[in-house]
Amino acid sequence: MSYVYHYASPLGGITLASDGEALTGLWFDGQRYYGDTLCGEAAERELPVFTQTCNWLDVYFSGKAPDFTPPLSLLTTPFRRAVCGIMLTIPYGQTMTYGEIADIIARRRGTAHMSAQAVGGAVGHNPVSIIVPCHRVVGADGSLTGYAGGLDRKAALLKLEQAPRNTFQEE
């Protein structure tokens, strides 16, 4: 059974999903791939994991780096889960390129090369936005590239974190 909960963020509504124990999804309402990890019908319910996630989001949107992570269960492929694991290591206010992630994956697999485009596909299908910080992944030149929640939100998240200015456009 899947459960959902709604959070009102400064950047728009967010839907949280859980299996009852861990967070399985976090999407801006209406974003690409919205709800793609929900299994069948989802009941709206208050759960401890949703309380923890809302607390994390409150800290985050106040402009601070949360010092905890709610329990996560990433319902995705092993490759996408590996990319998510790397994204979880990107510090608050910093960025990493798709190519850097591809290099890490290649080293871990013992191969000479990994496609940055394959990494891009995995980043784009991140089931737990913001907490698994796909917004911190940028192009090779530091430019903003795709974000399922929209480039305007990606820029706003990076600006909130005071990321290097070359990674977002001033409004």
Side-chain angles (χ1 to χ4, degrees):
M1 177 89 186
S2 290
Y3 303 97
V4 295
Y5 190 80
H6 299 281
Y7 177 86
S9 89
L11 300 178
I14 292 176
T15 298
L16 312 174
S18 174
D19 59 8
E21 299 293 323
L23 191 68
T24 59
L26 188 155
W27 308 274
F28 282 105
D29 293 346
Q31 80 172 47
R32 267 184 296 156
Y33 314 117
Y34 176 89
D36 66 351
T37 60
L38 289 174
C39 302
E41 301 248 345
E44 191 149 342
R45 180 161 303 157
E46 290 188 33
L47 298 170
V49 69
F50 292 148
T51 301
Q52 291 172 336
T53 302
C54 290
N55 289 338
W56 190 99
L57 291 166
D58 288 344
V59 170
Y60 179 83
F61 283 115
S62 76
K64 297 179 184 126
D67 63 358
F68 66 98
T69 302
L72 303 174
S73 179
L74 302 175
L75 306 175
T76 190
T77 68
F79 175 72
R80 289 178 180 174
R81 200 170 11 265
V83 171
C84 286
I86 294 168
M87 287 189 291
L88 282 165
T89 70
I90 305 170
Y92 181 94
Q94 296 183 31
T95 59
M96 184 178 282
T97 68
Y98 296 94
E100 289 171 326
I101 294 173
D103 290 345
I104 293 168
I105 296 282
R107 275 195 310 277
R108 288 180 180 174
R109 290 184 169 186
T111 60
H113 179 73
M114 166 57 61
S115 164
Q117 288 80 11
V119 168
V123 170
H125 284 85
N126 171 19
V128 182
S129 294
I130 307 173
I131 294 174
V132 177
C134 52
H135 61 280
R136 296 182 191 148
V137 182
V138 298
D141 62 357
S143 63
L144 294 187
T145 57
Y147 183 65
L151 286 180
D152 56 333
R153 285 189 179 124
K154 184 172 187 169
L157 293 170
L158 291 171
K159 188 172 184 177
L160 173 73
E161 295 182 19
Q162 299 179 4
R165 294 210 183 275
N166 68 335
T167 60
F168 61 88
Q169 297 174 347
E170 290 292 333
E171 295 177 27

